[in-house]
Structures are given as structure tokens and as C-alpha cells.
């Protein structure tokens, strides 16, 4: 299987701080793999995901995502890559002036799908994340966990080749969490997506093989 | 409801700008036309010993345009009427020549005084009358109007600029979140600011058409019934067809610049 | 840096408003003073058979203010100079009486025509000369200036209002989050909008003082060196001490109204 | 012990929806008690807390908080009540233009404490939530879990008589979560505060007695 993500001695840091959040990370994630990333609060998990979707350019070293050299990627290519990712943000990043349904199909809007397809897909996804009947509400009228599930639904709306999920169950009870984990398993197992999930709690029951990376003190190591 | 309010919030400032632009153009045309009238109306009265040709006058000062001989007979006849024992002919013979001299530019009092000096230096010229008082008032007023016009333009440019800047700030604040989310999900710049472009273009069109409507109404409605004869005589100054193009052009430029700046500015915020 | 930009963003629109207000006041004073001048300068020439008293004139039309008798001797002497065989006395006897009549208001041509008709109807009056041409031009110009003034005022009020509304929108967007959080943690309205009040008050002060400075400079610097005699003669119209109070007052009112509206509007959003 | 919160057949609903989120709830929380509230995502946990701090007025029934009748409270009294609460919001509600330190001492600013006291308290609290040295950063420069801890520190900064915490550990790893639970225990046990915590996961090790309410299908019942 080809690499979907591969790094070589990659170092990540934010512009203003000299502090290196991630130092000399070298790893590979292959197509169709399921990866959990854990680590203490503030260790750099979200930062690592940011580098995967091109929001943060590595200070040093190499990073290749979906065949693109992320240290030197054109705007056009980055845009194209992003339309093929399914990103779940820790702070959801929903558009509050849009209805839930419209938020969910934003990737379809960007890809230029017609309205009919948008609506069909919206209804299907609302059912998947157990938000039937809430499509016409606005994000601020939803509970925290409901907003989080909207974020999940949006990430899955265009069957991405790579899913980057940042704490997708942080605000969910056990039942809802399991719904989300099932969706993730399915995306990986049935649809062949590569999935990278940041979480504080790896689910106790998980039905497909996975890898587990731990970030600590700037280093990344894999648990075997 | 909310969307109407949103549109109005952009249409109204645009309207302010366009009304300002059109007012400025109208005002400029009326003043120019008035200056023309003043120039035409102003005459210098010259009394000479012997008859003089227009060319002779123009040689004396090149600001002189047309020269007219005053028919003395009617004046003299009026005087002669009251005096039984002298003939019109007799008076006429003893009277000097009278000319009204027109200028080719509208000049200040000081400049007219120079012309007067030029004329007086000529040995044939007996007397020069320049109607300084009335002219001075007119000239001052003309200058005042022009000063006011420029003040008006200055104020207009200043506030219009600010209205646009403010509108951009508002757009930026309102759409920042949406644009950032869309960018991070791979939307092109065009798609991200598509809504803005659409809103802005319709609003620009509405504002321009309203302005055109207002001034067309002024021209065909208000001016025609106004008491100001100068305006009534110069209706066509009030609204001309080329104004439509100018107004539409300005509205479009403002709108496009605003939208492009907004989407560029939002994009620069990297860490969402 | 960012805070300076923030201040400027509020100071500049305020400045625009205040400059507009002051310009308007100055312009209004200058026009009024000019109207006064025009009234004083305008005269009607009346030729009568027999001498008439000012009271007799006023009885004919109550718009008539002062009446002056024209000394005919000097006119006649000039004519007589050119004719050897008649005496000044002889001409004088046959000449009618000449009067210049002043009005107590500044009237339009049509209104002056009415007065002319009144005068002509009197059997003693032989001739009335109203200098329609020159007067008409002046009157038109006067009306035009006033029309421009009102247009200017309209535009000013319109844009100023919008600038304030826009600034309020921006404040609302920028401070909504902070104010909502503060409210939910129990901060009083005063505390929540305290920052805004402070920014707004300093900015109002700066804007008002700048405007005062600009016009004081205009009065003592620019006008004194300007070419426009009317303005030079009327320097005091350009800036008066009471303007300071008016400008400060307007700035404060705008600022207070904006801030209060913003904090009220933000509060109304209940579900954060 | 007196009641800090007492309800009688209280019904909660949002203005526009006819849906009643909480129906006929009757319960009492006494001074110094520690209460956990759990329930599925979207069941009305945050909504219940909103009613406690006066953000949502009960549709029917009674609600008394700190001696105030919340169905009919004056603006002035509500303001005063709020300054004595310690609220931790599910979405943090930090002020992004303010530094972390200033955010933490917002309750002190509102109460009119002087700058020296603000600074001392800010340093103390930053240490408590393990954010030493991050006082001068801005919320958006922090990780999700770090922001959450800023929210916790803010709620504790003025030793409130009632702490209302909405998922205070949702974005935290186990170590950070335990730090927060210790702070909560301490506030209740040592400082005598009443604490109401909404969470999806009651900590396995908890050293003081607590009550446990479950919200489900609009009803509230206590687990004994
Ligand atoms: N925009 C930024 N500018 C500067 N520093 C930042 C920025 N974003 C994050 N950091 C710093 O980088 C470090 C790692 O942040 P990151 O968000 O990656 O943590 P995390 O592992 O996702 O933590 P959590 O589990 O709490 O979400 C933190 O110490 C944070 O202060
Ligand atoms: N402002 C609002 N307007 C209308 N309905 C709302 C509003 N806020 C929440 N709701 C609805 O009320 C219900 C309960 O929301 P609440 O936030 O209390 O849930 P919760 O128990 O806190 O869930 P979570 O664990 O996901 O945070 C949800 O179904 C939600 O859709
Ligand atoms: Mg994170
Ligand atoms: Mg909640």
C-alpha cells in the first residue's frame, strides 16, 4: 500500500514562539490504516494534524501528504488536497449563520454538487449521526455534543480519502461516541479511507486493527 | 427581513456616494455655465474721441473679445426732446464715440483694472467705465461658489472613503469565520467571496439606478417647477446620459475593490 | 500600532462629521452675509415729472426702503461741456427728476416687476429702470448657492448618519463576544461598555479639537492670504467661539448615543 | 444546611421551539453538596445549568438559586448573583482579545479588585491548572485542553459559593482531568462551595461524597 502521510525528521513550531512543538518526527501512515494519536493536553496533537492539512508548514524536515510535498505546495494543489480530506476540528468550526444541513454539505457545495444531491446527502448524514430533524436548526441552537456530530457529518459528507479527526467524541456520551466510532470504522474498513484520530480515550471495543502513536515532550513514538 | 436590512446597510452608503458624485457633477456644470454667462454679460464702456475698429481695441489688450458701437442717436433724441432750440444733429456732433467691449475670459477686478489702464493709456480713449462694484460682487460670489464646490468635493471624497472602509471592516468581521472555514476546506477564493460579490453587485446596481432615478426626477420634475430661472433654463445640466455610465462605473469599482480587499484580508489570518 | 489604527477608525469619521458641520455653519454665514450685501447694493432707478418724497414712494410699495435723489447737475454739465451754445441751467430745467430707490428685502425678478408696475401706475412717474439683467443673474446665483448649501447639508446628514451607524455595527461585532461573556459573569452595563466609553470620549475630543484647529487655521491663515476679497472682508464668519461648544456638543452626543445603542443591542442577544 | 438550588415542577424550553427540554423537575441541592449530572448528548444538561445562572427562565414551575426566585428576578439581583457564581462553560467562552491572565481574573475585574491582587491571583491560578508561563498568551494560541483549563481557572478565581461546571474535562487527558477534579473536590471540601458538574464520565477515583443526577427524555432522576 502506498503512503498517505510520510514524514522525515519533521519539526513543527508556531511563527512567534521559538518553542518547537514537534521535533524530528519520522513516521509513515499507509493507505487504509487507522491511527490513534494520544498525548497530554498541549503536547501538539492538534498541531500535528494542522501540518497534515497544510495549515502549518514544517519548520524543518519533510512532510508528504497524498503525494504532495507540504513544505512547498502551491496554493492550487493545497486547495485541491483539502477538498479530498475529511477534517473534524477540535472546536468544530461550524458556520453559525448556516443551517445544520448546509454546514454538513459544505464540502459538496465546494465541489459544486447540485442542490438535489446536497439535500439527499444531508438527510442521509443527519441520520447517521443521529440528528434527524435538526437539519433546519442553526449550530448555536444545538447542544455541544450535537454540534460535534455536525462536524463529524461534514467531514464524512464527500467520502474523503483521508480523515483527520481531532477529539471527535470529546463532548459525547458513551452511546453517541460509539455511533461515531462505528462511522469511523466503517469509513476505514468499507470505504477504504485512511483515518487519523486524536483522542484522549481509545474506545474499549474497537473492531478493526489500528496503530497507536503517543506524542510526549515533542517526540512521537508508536505503541506496539 | 434580516437580509433586507443587510442589503440596505450597503445600498444606503453606496447611494450616499453616488448621490454625492452626481450632485458634484451637476453643481460643477451649473457653475461652469454660470461663469460663462457672467463672462458674456460683462462689458466695459469705452468713450473715445474718434471711431475705433475692434482690431484696434484687441491690439490694446488681448483679453478683449467683441466690441460694439453704441447707437448714440436714440440717447441724444431723448435729451433733445426736452430742449426746443437745439437739433439732434448738433448734439450728436459734439458727443464722443461710445463702445461696449466684451472680454473673452471671466476676470477678477484687479485683472480688469489692468485692462482699463491699457485702454486709458491710448491717447484716443477719453474715458473707460468698468462697473467695478457690480462686477466685484459677482466675481466674489463666483469664487465662493467654486470654493464651496471644492469643499463639498473634499468632504464627499473623505466620507465616501470612510463609508467604504467601514463597510469592508463590517464584512470582514461578519464573514471572517465563514471564509476561514471555507478556505480550510479547500474552497477557492472565488467561491469564498461569491456571496459577497453577488450581494455587492446587486446592491451597486440598485444604488446606481436609484441615484439615476433621483436626478432624472429632479431634471424632469423638480427643476421644471422650481423658481430658480437659471436652473429652469439649464435643465439639461441636471442630468445627462453619460452620467449613467459614470455612476454605474463608480459603483462597480467601489464594490469590486471592497470585496477583493475583504477576501484578501481574511485570507491572511493563518491560524484559525 | 493596532490601537492607534482603532482610534483613527473612529476619529476620522467623527472628523468628517464635524468638518461637515463647521463647513455648513461657515457657508451658511457667508451666504447670509452675501445676501445682505446684494440687498444693499440693489437699486431701482425712477424718473418722475415732479419731485417726490420718500414717504410718497413707500406708500406706493412697502418693499421700498430708502430713496435717494440723484444730483443731476454733474450729469448735465458733462453734456453741456460738449455744446457751446446752451447753458447747464437750460438743460436742467427740461430734465426730469431722478431717484434711486433701495429695497428692504432681497427679491426675485418677478417680485421686482410687481414693484415696477406699482410705481409706473403712479401718474407722476415717467419711467422705472430695474436693471433686470444684472439683478437676475445675481438673484439666480444667490438661489443656486442656497440650493447647493441645502444639498450639501442633506448629503452631510445622510453620510454622517451612516458613518455612525457603521461604526456602531463594527463595535457591536467586535465587542459582542466580550460583552456577552462579561454580562453572563455579572458585569454591570457600565463596566461592560466602559472601554467603549473611554475610547469614544477621547476620540470625540480629538476630533472636535482637530476640527476647531482646522477652521481656526483657515480663519487666521488661509482666508487672510486668499484671493477672495469677500472672504477676506468677512474673516470673522469663518470661525466663531460658539462653534467650539457646538462641535464639542455634537461629538459628545454622537459618541454617547452610539455607545449606549451598542451596549443595549448586544445585551439583547440572549442565548449565547 | 440551607438549599442553594431548589426547583419545584420546573419546565424548561427555548423561546421558539415548543419542545420542552426539561419537564416537571423537582429537586434540591444543599449548601456544600457535590452533584454530578450525566445524560445523553442533547438531553438538556447545559440547558439546566443555563437556568441556574439565569440565562434561561423556566417556562413553568419554580426555581430558587441562592435565595433568589429565578422566575422573577430583577436585573440587579441577577447581576449580583452571577458575580458569586463560578461558571465553566462547555464552549469555554473566553475573551479572545484578552490575554490568558486577564481572562482568568475577569471575575476580579468585575468585582473591582485592584491590579496587584489580580496579578497575584492570576499567577496562583495558572499554577493550579498547570498553565505556568502561559499567562501572556492569547486563548487562540492555546490548545483546546489548555483553553478549557483557563475556563476552569476563571471560574475558581473568586472562590464562588456555587460552581456550575459544564463538561470541565471534555478536552483533557487523564492527568489534566485529575488535576481539575482535585481542584473541584478542594473547592467543595475545603472552601465549602456547592458544586454542580455536568460530565459524560464520572471520575473513577473520587474522594468526597457526591450525588448523581441523570437527565433522560426530559426527566431528571437521582441515582442512589
Ligand atoms: N496559534 C498558536 N500560536 C502559538 N502557539 C500555539 C498556537 N496553537 C497552539 N500553540 C501551542 O502549541 C502547543 C500544542 O498545542 P496543540 O493544540 O497542538 O495541543 P494538543 O496536543 O492538541 O492539546 P489538547 O489535547 O489540549 O488539544 C500548546 O502548548 C500551545 O500553547
Ligand atoms: N438556543 C437554543 N435554541 C433552541 N434549542 C436549543 C438551544 N440550545 C439547545 N437547544 C436544544 O436543547 C436540547 C438540549 O440541549 P443541551 O445543550 O442542554 O444538551 P446537553 O445535555 O448539554 O447535550 P451535550 O451533552 O451534547 O452538551 C438540544 O436538543 C438542543 O437542540
Ligand atoms: Mg488539541
Ligand atoms: Mg451541553
Amino acid at each position: 500500500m502506498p503512503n498517505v502521510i510520510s514524514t522525515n525528521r519533521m519539526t513543527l513550531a508556531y511563527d512567534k514562539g521559538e518553542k518547537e512543538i514537534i521535533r524530528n518526527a519520522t513516521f509513515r501512515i499507509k493507505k487504509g490504516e487507522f491511527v490513534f494519536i494520544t498525548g497530554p493536553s498541549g503536547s501538539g496533537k492538534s498541531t500535528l494534524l494542522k501540518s497534515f492539512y497544510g495549515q502549518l508548514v514544517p519548520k524543518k524536515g519533510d512532510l508528504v501528504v497524498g503525494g504532495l510535498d507540504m513544505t512547498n505546495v502551491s496554493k492550487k494543489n493545497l486547495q485541491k488536497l483539502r477538498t479530498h480530506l475529511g477534517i473534524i476540528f477540535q472546536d468544530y468550526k461550524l458556520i453559525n449563520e448556516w443551517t445544520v444541513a448546509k454546514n454538513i454539505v459544505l464540502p459538496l457545495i465546494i465541489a459544486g454538487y447540485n442542490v438535489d444531491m446536497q439535500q439527499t446527502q444531508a438527510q442521509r448524514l443527519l441520520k447517521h449521526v443521529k440528528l434527524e430533524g435538526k437539519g433546519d436548526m442553526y449550530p448555536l441552537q444545538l447542544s455541544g455534543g450535537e454540534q460535534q456530530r455536525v462536524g463529524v457529518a461534514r467531514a464524512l459528507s464527500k467520502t474523503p480519502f483521508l480523515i483527520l479527526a481531532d477529539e471527535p467524541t470529546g463532548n459525547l456520551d458513551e452511546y453517541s461516541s460509539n455511533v461515531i466510532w462505528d462511522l469511523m470504522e466503517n469509513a476505514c474498513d468499507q470505504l477504504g479511507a485512511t483515518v487519523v484520530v486524536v483522542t484522549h480515550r481509545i474506545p474499549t471495543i474497537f473492531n478493526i486493527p489500528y496503530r497507536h502513536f503517543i506524542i510526549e515532550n515533542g517526540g512521537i513514538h508508536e505503541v506496539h | 427581513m434580516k437580509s433586507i436590512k443587510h442589503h440596505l446597510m450597503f445600498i444606503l452608503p453606496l447611494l450616499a456616494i453616488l448621490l454625492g458624485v452626481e450632485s458634484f457633477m451637476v453643481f460643477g456644470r451649473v457653475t461652469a455655465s454660470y461663469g460663462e454667462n457672467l463672462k458674456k454679460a460683462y462689458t466695459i464702456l469705452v468713450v473715445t474721441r474718434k471711431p475705433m475698429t475692434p482690431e484696434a481695441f484687441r491690439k490694446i489688450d488681448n483679453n478683449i473679445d467683441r466690441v460694439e458701437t453704441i447707437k448714440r442717436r436714440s440717447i441724444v433724441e431723448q435729451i433733445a426732446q426736452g430742449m426746443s432750440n437745439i437739433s439732434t444733429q448738433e448734439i450728436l456732433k459734439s458727443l464722443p464715440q461710445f463702445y461696449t467691449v466684451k472680454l473673452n475670459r471671466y476676470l477678477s477686478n484687479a485683472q480688469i483694472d489692468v485692462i482699463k489702464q491699457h485702454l486709458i493709456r491710448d491717447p484716443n480713449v477719453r474715458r473707460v467705465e468698468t462697473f467695478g462694484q457690480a462686477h466685484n460682487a459677482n466675481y466674489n460670489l463666483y469664487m465662493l461658489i467654486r470654493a464651496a464646490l471644492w469643499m463639498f468635493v473634499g468632504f464627499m471624497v473623505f466620507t465616501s472613503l470612510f463609508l467604504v472602509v467601514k463597510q469592508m471592516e463590517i464584512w470582514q468581521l461578519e464573514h471572517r469565520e465563514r471564509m476561514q472555514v471555507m478556505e480550510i476546506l479547500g474552497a477557492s477564493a472565488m467561491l469564498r467571496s461569491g456571496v459577497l460579490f453577488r450581494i455587492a453587485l446587486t446592491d451597486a446596481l440598485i444604488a446606481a439606478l436609484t441615484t439615476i432615478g433621483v436626478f432624472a426626477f429632479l431634471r424632469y420634475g423638480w427643476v421644471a417647477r422650481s423658481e430658480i430661472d437659471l436652473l429652469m433654463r439649464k435643465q439639461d445640466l441636471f442630468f445627462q446620459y453619460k452620467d449613467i455610465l459614470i455612476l454605474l462605473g463608480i459603483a462597480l469599482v467601489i464594490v469590486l475593490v471592497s470585496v477583493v480587499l475583504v477576501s484578501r484580508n481574511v485570507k491572511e489570518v493563518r491560524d484559525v
Side-chain angles (χ1 to χ4, degrees), chain B residues 246-258:
Chain B
I246 295 176
L247 291 177
L248 279 177
I250 290 176
L252 286 187
V253 167
I254 291 175
V255 153
L256 295 185
V257 168
S258 313

Side-chain angles (χ1 to χ4, degrees), chain A residues 134 137 140-146 149 171-173:
Chain A
K134 306 226 176 212
M137 292 177 87
L140 292 182
Q141 298 177 320
L142 297 186
S143 81
E146 288 167 343
R149 284 177 278 158
N171 269 302
L172 296 179
D173 59 305

Side-chain angles (χ1 to χ4, degrees), chain B residues 9 16 34 82 86 90 94 127 138 141 152 155 166-167:
Chain B
M9 276 297 159
Y34 186 77
I86 9 170
E90 214 170 334
S94 66
R127 194 156 164 189
N138 276 348
L141 196 50
F152 181 63
F155 181 77
K166 291 279 157 203
Q167 188 56 52

Side-chain angles (χ1 to χ4, degrees), chain B residues 15-49:
Chain B
L15 250 185
I17 296 173
L18 295 182
L19 285 174
V21 168
E22 179 68 22
S23 303
F24 168 62
M25 293 193 296
V26 168
F27 197 26
R29 286 196 287 253
V30 173
T31 337
S33 134
Y34 186 77
E36 193 64 25
N37 276 352
L38 280 181
K39 188 191 86 190
K40 278 199 206 121
Y42 188 73
T43 50
I44 297 178
L45 187 74
V46 180
V47 185
T48 61
R49 283 165 237 276

Side-chain angles (χ1 to χ4, degrees), chain A residues 14 50 53-55 57 75 79 82-83 87 89 93-98 106 109-110 154, chain B residues 2 174-175 177-178 181-189 191-192 195 267 269-272:
Chain A
Y14 287 96
K50 272 188 201 169
Y53 56 80
Q55 186 71 3
V57 180
K75 211 178 209 157
Q79 240 170 43
R82 283 175 172 178
T83 61
I87 316 177
F89 300 92
K93 292 203 196 305
L94 304 180
I95 297 175
N96 290 327
E97 312 92 73
W98 285 9
L106 175 52
I109 295 174
I110 291 174
R154 181 178 69 187
Chain B
K2 213 184 147 204
E174 282 181 344
H175 292 271
E177 197 193 29
R178 182 182 62 73
V181 171
M182 287 182 86
E183 194 199 3
I184 233 174
L185 297 186
S188 67
L191 189 62
R192 290 199 301 272
V195 200
K267 227 173 46 192
V269 183
R270 281 291 284 190
D271 279 296
V272 218

